[in-house]
């Protein structure tokens, strides 16, 4: 396993296969911690983690804060009254305040693409030794969600050794509003890196054909793809056809505003074409695990019955797995490498 | 190379005017910035002044550039840019003539707002607003505006109501002056910031479909077809689809392109660059290729700097909350030289057609030429390497296209627009 080299975690497009393996291995160890009694590791004792969520969030922020506390970090949260800071109150000013208080790890979420990267670059330029972890930016990236989805699938396919190899050759369907989903973009980088074939499914207004070439080149600003060979991406309009031969299906939250934007003609029609149900999944002939980043619109992305069926829906499992995955990311960024945690002589979690 | 009382340069590449080829020769330049002589007449004058020649091999002497449209909202009190700072920035970039859009605060829609000027040899031209207050509802006084010196009429940031355009063309007060219109319909952009291509999807930007340009362009082409005696100009063409539509038109309007769209695209721009926030939005690789080809073929007539300055505070806002705009002038020539002359083997004459003579023709100006006594010349060294910004570029704008420290190749070493103390001859 090669050493972790990332100063910040901004986009999974920059992750190598070794990076995925490192995160999953660490997450698996953290996941194995006792579920009751003393659950804290002293790894980040005395370190300050700050969550700066300029966009409303409950699940992701709570998950990060729990993860930080389980590593014994101090945690401070910032939530602005409005997501739009007015002129004269820059994001960087806000961030600098927390850095001045001693924050070493910043988890940043913003509705605008590239804000975490802007902040990371500004802090680097100022010589601050602060790690930025992207908690979701615009439509661009949601690395921790992409990794927890990967971990959940890997554990589903290979519970004892949930590494990247568990996804090799798997056919994963992502259905829904891919266009407006940073989760789907992170899923695309993560799943294809691990050798999975990804089938994107939805109407053309939400899944443009150009997504078929999504992983054909690295994103702007990144010269090389650290993954030499990725799984294929396809775009499929018919969900039943997409589910044929699939190993798992991930469905995405549909925002009600897509109706106002005329990207859909009706929610009912959307559910008929792209909604998941037991009936639809049974047409494929074998049970498929279903993932959703939450929160779920019951009766739109999937039926309530499907969501409540723990044999099929892995949604709660995703939430559970979010904590060890985020612990792994915080640990790696704080430690600046994998040495102590993966070194056999060090105390294991 | 120290600046003597006068400068005798040998082994220059000289591009004297349109229709002439680049030739190797000599030039004599006064310390006051006047071009005293070029070509064969140089030696005799230089020797009479007992000057020693300086070798300027590889440098290009050519007329200064012409910017067909840029924006200056508050000429006197602007925090982002003023008349004076824009003049300094333009001169340092080698731009001798700039035409300002009427997009001021308030919009320049009345003759008494057209009194702005620059001291010679710089020349400032003013577009006047097609409609009152740029509202697209009521025509401005076209005859009066043009009689006062407006170089042409211009619309706002989108095409505006067709009946108003139709009426203004029917009235015909504009005569043979250009009517500059943006082929854009904001209601079609879907809130997008970057043109819809896979590169924009990959980078996670909200996407703007090509139809937000191609549909209004179809209207513009139709208007030109109906009013063939008028000179319509499509401002800042930005997509491969628009280029295709323009090429298919039997009587296409003239067109300009934003210089940045020729330099980069959504596939290669750094995620935190200032250069993402344009209107029309930045295109993908196929758009850039099509725009370059259209400029080479003459389908697009001129390269615009379309300088739109933001102040430092605005620049701190997240990109989706910032106003559109990119500062320009300072690195247009070096970057386009690298992209087109070095990268695509364009003849130098072709680049000057795009940056100088094409804009002159579009604006109805006499073509810029090198002539004895003139001060609108520039000396460009394509090999010079420097870091942006080497010195103050004159502009107050915070939304410069390059990050501090970016390596640039190609430098305007001297121009008659600047005092000789600002020349960088060594």
């Amino acid at each position: 396993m090669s050493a972790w080299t990332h100063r910040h975690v901004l986009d999974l497009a920059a992750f190598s296969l070794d990076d995925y393996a490192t995160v999953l291995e660490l997450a698996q160890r953290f996941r194995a911690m006792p579920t009751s009694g003393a659950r804290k590791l002293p790894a980040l004792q005395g370190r300050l983690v700050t969550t700066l969520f300029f966009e409303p969030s409950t699940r992701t922020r709570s998950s990060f804060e729990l993860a930080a506390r389980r590593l014994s970090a101090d945690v401070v949260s910032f939530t602005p009254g409005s997501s739009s800071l007015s002129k004269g109150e820059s994001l960087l000013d806000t961030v600098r305040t927390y850095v001045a208080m001693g924050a070493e790890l910043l988890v940043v979420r913003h509705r605008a693409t590239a804000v975490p990267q802007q902040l990371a670059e500004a802090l680097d330029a100022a010589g601050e030794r602060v790690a930025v972890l992207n908690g979701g930016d615009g439509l661009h990236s949601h690395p921790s969600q992409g990794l927890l989805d990967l971990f959940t699938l890997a554990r589903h396919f290979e519970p004892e050794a949930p590494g990247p190899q568990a996804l090799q050759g798997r056919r994963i369907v992502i259905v829904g509003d891919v266009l407006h989903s940073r989760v789907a973009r992170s899923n695309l980088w993560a799943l294809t890196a691990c050798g999975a074939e990804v089938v994107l499914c939805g109407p053309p207004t939400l899944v443009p054909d150009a997504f078929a070439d999504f992983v054909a080149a690295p994103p702007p600003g990144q010269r090389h793809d650290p993954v030499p060979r990725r799984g294929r991406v396809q775009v499929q309009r018919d969900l039943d056809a997409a589910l044929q031969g699939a190993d798992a299906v991930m469905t995405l939250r549909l925002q009600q505003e897509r109706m106002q934007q005329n990207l859909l003609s009706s929610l009912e029609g959307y559910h008929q074409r792209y909604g998941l149900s037991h009936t639809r999944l049974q047409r494929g002939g074998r049970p498929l695990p279903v993932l959703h980043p939450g929160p779920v619109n019951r009766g739109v992305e999937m039926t309530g019955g499907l969501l409540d069926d723990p044999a099929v829906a892995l949604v709660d499992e995703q939430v559970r797995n979010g904590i060890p995955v985020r612990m792994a990311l915080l640990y790696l960024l704080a430690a600046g490498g994998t040495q102590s945690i993966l070194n056999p002589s060090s105390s294991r979690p | 190379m120290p600046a003597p009382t006068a400068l005798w340069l040998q082994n220059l590449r000289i591009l004297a005017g349109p229709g002439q080829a680049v030739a190797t020769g000599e030039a004599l330049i006064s310390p006051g910035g006047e071009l005293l002589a070029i070509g064969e007449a140089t030696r005799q004058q230089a020797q009479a002044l007992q000057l020693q020649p300086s070798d300027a091999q590889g440098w290009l002497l050519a007329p200064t550039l012409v910017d067909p449209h840029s924006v200056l909202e508050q000429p006197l009190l602007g925090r982002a840019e003023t008349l004076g700072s824009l003049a300094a920035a333009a001169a340092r970039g080698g731009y001798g003539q700039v035409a300002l859009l009427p997009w001021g605060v308030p919009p320049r829609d009345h003759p008494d707002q057209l009194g702005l000027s620059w001291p010679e040899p710089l020349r400032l031209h003013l577009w006047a607003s097609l409609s009152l207050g740029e509202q697209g509802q009521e025509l401005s006084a076209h005859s009066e505006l043009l009689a006062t010196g407006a170089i042409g009429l211009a619309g706002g940031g989108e095409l505006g109501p067709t009946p108003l355009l139709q009426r203004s063309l029917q009235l015909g007060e504009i005569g043979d002056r250009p009517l500059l219109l943006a082929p854009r319909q904001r209601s079609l952009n879907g809130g997008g910031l970057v043109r819809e291509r896979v590169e924009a999807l990959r980078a996670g930007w909200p996407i703007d479909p090509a139809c937000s340009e191609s549909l209004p362009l179809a209207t513009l082409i139709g208007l030109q077809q109906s009013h063939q005696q008028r000179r319509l100009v499509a401002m800042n063409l930005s997509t491969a689809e628009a280029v295709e539509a323009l090429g298919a038109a039997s009587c296409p309007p003239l067109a300009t392109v934003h210089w940045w769209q020729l330099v980069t695209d959504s596939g290669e721009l750094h995620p935190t660059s200032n250069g993402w926030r344009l209107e029309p939005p930045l295109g993908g690789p196929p758009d850039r290729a099509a725009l370059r080809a259209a400029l080479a073929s003459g389908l697009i007539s001129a390269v615009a700097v379309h300088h739109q300055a933001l102040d430092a505070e605005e620049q701190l806002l997240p990109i989706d909350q910032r106003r559109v705009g990119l500062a320009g002038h300072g690195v247009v020539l070096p970057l386009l030289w690298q992209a087109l002359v070095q990268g695509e083997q364009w003849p130098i004459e072709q680049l000057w057609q795009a940056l100088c003579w094409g804009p002159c023709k579009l604006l109805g100006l006499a073509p810029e030429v090198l002539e004895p006594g003139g001060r609108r010349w520039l000396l460009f060294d394509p090999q010079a390497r420097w870091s942006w910004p080497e010195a103050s570029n004159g502009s107050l704008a915070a939304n410069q296209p390059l990050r501090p420290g970016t390596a640039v190749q190609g430098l305007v070493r001297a121009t008659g627009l600047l005092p000789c103390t600002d020349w960088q001859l060594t």
Side-chain angles (χ1 to χ4, degrees):
Chain A
M1 188 175 293
S2 66
W4 175 266
T5 57
H6 300 278
R7 275 196 63 160
H8 311 283
V9 172
L10 301 170
D11 186 6
L12 295 185
F15 267 40
S16 68
L17 209 50
D18 283 341
D19 294 328
Y20 289 108
T22 300
V23 173
L24 296 193
E25 183 178 341
L26 260 179
Q28 178 72 347
R29 291 185 188 186
F30 288 130
R31 182 74 164 75
M33 285 170 63
T35 54
S36 61
R39 297 197 214 174
K40 285 194 176 182
L41 288 171
L44 299 191
Q45 199 158 37
R47 316 284 287 269
L48 179 59
V49 174
T50 302
T51 56
L52 295 138
F53 278 56
F54 298 96
E55 183 185 65
S57 161
T58 305
R59 304 157 71 102
T60 304
R61 195 179 62 192
S62 302
S63 181
F64 266 116
E65 290 177 1
L66 269 174
R69 289 195 176 101
R70 287 192 185 170
L71 293 171
S72 302
D74 296 326
V75 180
V76 174
S77 302
F78 168 79
T79 310
S82 157
S83 65
S84 163
L85 294 189
S86 60
K87 188 177 170 185
E89 300 169 343
S90 84
L91 296 176
L92 188 57
D93 292 341
T94 306
V95 168
R96 279 185 178 144
T97 304
Y98 287 95
V99 172
M101 290 180 197
E104 294 174 72
L105 284 151
L106 305 175
V107 183
V108 179
R109 170 175 283 198
H110 199 283
R111 66 170 201 157
T113 292
V115 164
Q117 184 157 353
Q118 273 179 311
L119 295 174
E121 289 176 6
L123 292 168
D124 285 349
E128 301 284 2
R129 292 190 57 78
V130 179
V132 176
L133 211 167
N134 184 356
D137 66 321
L139 310 180
H140 172 229
S141 181
H142 194 341
S144 64
Q145 181 73 41
L147 289 166
L148 77 86
D149 289 345
L150 183 70
F151 184 52
T152 302
L153 284 171
R155 277 177 57 85
H156 179 81
F157 295 130
E158 292 191 26
E160 299 307 316
Q165 76 288 344
L167 272 298
Q168 180 67 42
R170 305 281 182 181
R171 178 179 164 99
I172 312 295
V173 177
I174 301 178
V175 58
D177 186 2
V178 176
L179 178 61
H180 300 96
S181 174
R182 55 192 173 210
V183 174
R185 285 170 172 83
S186 288
N187 288 148
L188 277 164
W189 292 116
L191 294 170
T192 59
C194 298
E197 175 192 5
V198 179
V199 183
L200 302 175
C201 186
T205 47
L206 301 182
V207 187
D209 287 334
F211 265 109
D213 295 324
F214 187 85
V215 297
Q222 186 177 315
R223 286 175 182 266
H224 306 293
D225 188 341
V227 176
R229 186 179 168 84
R230 289 184 177 275
R232 200 161 64 109
V233 178
Q234 296 177 54
V235 172
Q236 170 70 257
R237 303 289 169 214
D238 182 275
L239 180 55
D240 291 324
L243 292 174
Q244 289 295 321
D247 294 293
V249 57
M250 308 168 89
T251 179
L252 303 167
R253 180 173 166 79
L254 186 76
Q255 302 284 354
Q256 302 286 330
E257 68 192 70
R258 305 301 168 231
M259 290 292 296
Q260 290 144 20
Q261 294 167 334
N262 295 317
L263 296 171
L264 295 171
S265 57
S266 80
L267 285 179
E268 195 170 319
Y270 176 83
H271 179 68
Q272 280 176 5
R273 287 190 189 88
Y274 301 107
L276 296 176
S277 63
H278 280 108
T279 312
R280 173 160 257 151
L281 293 180
Q282 280 158 9
R283 281 181 213 152
R286 55 176 174 156
L288 283 182
V290 175
L291 286 79
H292 190 298
V296 178
N297 291 309
R298 288 172 179 262
V300 180
E301 296 106 53
M302 68 174 89
T303 58
L306 191 63
L307 178 63
D308 295 335
D309 181 354
V312 181
L314 302 185
V315 178
D316 290 344
E317 187 68 2
Q318 288 174 272
V319 175
R320 270 191 290 275
N321 288 336
I323 296 171
V325 164
R326 289 175 173 123
M327 287 170 76
L329 290 173
L330 292 171
Y331 181 86
L332 287 165
L333 287 173
T338 56
Q339 281 182 341
S340 57
I341 196 87
L342 296 176
N343 187 331
S345 63
S346 68
S347 60
R348 289 188 169 199
Chain B
M1 210 184 298
T5 50
L7 201 59
W8 177 15
L9 299 171
Q10 291 187 323
N11 297 320
L12 280 167
R13 288 187 283 182
I14 298 174
L15 180 58
Q20 300 183 48
V22 174
T24 303
E26 303 177 319
L28 188 62
I29 296 168
S30 82
E34 288 180 340
L35 187 60
L36 298 175
I38 51 173
E40 291 176 0
T42 303
R43 181 170 297 263
Q44 196 176 2
Q45 287 191 43
Q47 286 174 342
L49 292 169
Q50 298 183 316
L51 298 174
Q52 291 298 312
S54 298
D55 187 14
Q57 190 160 22
W59 295 9
L60 174 74
L61 178 67
T64 52
L65 310 177
V66 178
D67 174 12
H69 47 85
S70 274
V71 179
L72 183 59
E73 292 184 335
Q74 295 177 288
L76 302 178
L77 300 171
R79 283 174 19 142
E81 204 73 282
T82 64
L83 204 55
S85 64
L86 182 62
R92 285 176 192 277
Y95 276 85
Q97 300 193 66
V98 174
L100 290 184
L101 286 167
W103 305 353
V105 182
R108 289 184 275 276
D109 61 358
H110 196 268
D112 63 13
Q113 292 164 326
L114 301 181
L116 303 173
S117 65
W118 280 338
E120 282 283 335
L122 280 166
R123 288 187 182 167
L124 185 70
H125 307 285
L126 297 169
W127 294 92
S129 181
L130 173 74
S131 65
L132 287 177
E134 270 176 30
Q135 296 296 307
Q137 292 174 352
E138 197 176 337
L139 292 176
S140 58
H142 293 180
S143 294
E144 287 86 337
L145 288 165
L146 295 166
T148 310
I151 198 141
L153 300 174
E158 57 183 342
L159 189 58
T162 309
L164 182 97
L165 302 174
Q166 174 75 11
R167 192 67 72 205
S168 70
L169 292 167
Q170 253 181 343
L171 273 171
E173 292 178 16
I174 193 167
D176 62 356
R177 303 285 186 87
L179 175 56
L180 181 64
L181 298 168
R184 220 151 4 269
Q185 192 173 334
R186 288 174 177 149
S187 63
L188 294 174
N189 75 9
L193 299 180
V194 178
R195 190 64 70 189
E196 182 176 4
R197 306 285 177 213
V198 66
E199 292 79 12
L201 297 177
R202 207 175 274 140
W205 296 110
I207 51 174
D208 181 338
C211 68
S212 70
E213 177 169 83
S214 56
L215 292 178
L217 181 65
T219 302
L220 193 52
I221 290 171
L223 287 168
Q224 180 68 85
Q225 181 69 32
S226 304
H227 300 273
Q228 296 190 14
Q229 72 280 26
R230 305 284 169 238
R231 289 206 303 136
L232 270 62
V233 183
M235 177 166 46
N236 288 338
L237 223 58
S238 69
T239 61
E241 288 83 349
V243 167
E244 189 179 350
L246 204 65
S250 59
C251 182
L254 299 170
T256 65
V257 60
H258 192 297
W259 72 283
W260 190 241
Q261 302 268 14
L262 301 166
V263 170
T264 190
D265 60 52
S266 59
E268 68 171 37
L269 192 60
H270 190 278
T272 59
S273 167
N274 292 338
W276 287 104
R277 198 74 176 99
L278 297 183
E279 187 186 43
L282 188 67
D287 299 309
R288 178 160 59 139
L291 292 167
R292 285 183 177 187
L295 188 63
S297 71
L299 194 61
I300 292 176
S301 317
V303 175
V305 180
H306 202 79
H307 174 92
Q308 277 183 290
L310 299 188
D311 68 38
E313 284 186 17
E314 285 179 291
Q315 197 58 23
L316 290 173
L317 292 170
I319 194 164
D320 68 337
Q321 293 170 30
R322 261 179 236 164
R323 290 186 303 145
V324 295
L326 186 67
H329 293 116
V331 283
V332 174
L333 181 54
L335 295 191
L336 286 182
W337 183 285
Q338 285 303 312
L340 302 177
V341 177
Q342 289 292 115
E344 296 202 354
Q345 282 73 53
W346 277 31
I348 297 169
E349 298 87 341
Q350 193 173 6
L351 182 64
W352 245 255
Q353 179 62 35
L355 293 174
C356 176
W357 301 313
C360 282
K361 190 172 180 186
L362 186 147
L363 295 171
L365 303 170
E368 289 278 24
V369 294
L370 295 180
E371 54 190 359
R375 287 174 59 191
R376 283 203 301 280
W377 55 267
L378 66 81
L379 205 50
F380 181 69
D381 177 1
Q383 300 304 323
R385 292 173 189 273
W386 54 291
S387 291
W388 168 266
E390 189 173 59
S392 166
N393 65 3
S395 174
L396 302 177
N399 55 335
Q400 297 292 335
L402 301 181
R403 294 153 169 255
T406 304
V408 180
Q409 184 175 341
L411 176 68
V412 177
R413 287 200 172 272
T415 166
L417 306 171
L418 292 172
C420 67
T421 49
D422 287 351
W423 297 355
Q424 300 177 66
L425 297 173
T426 54

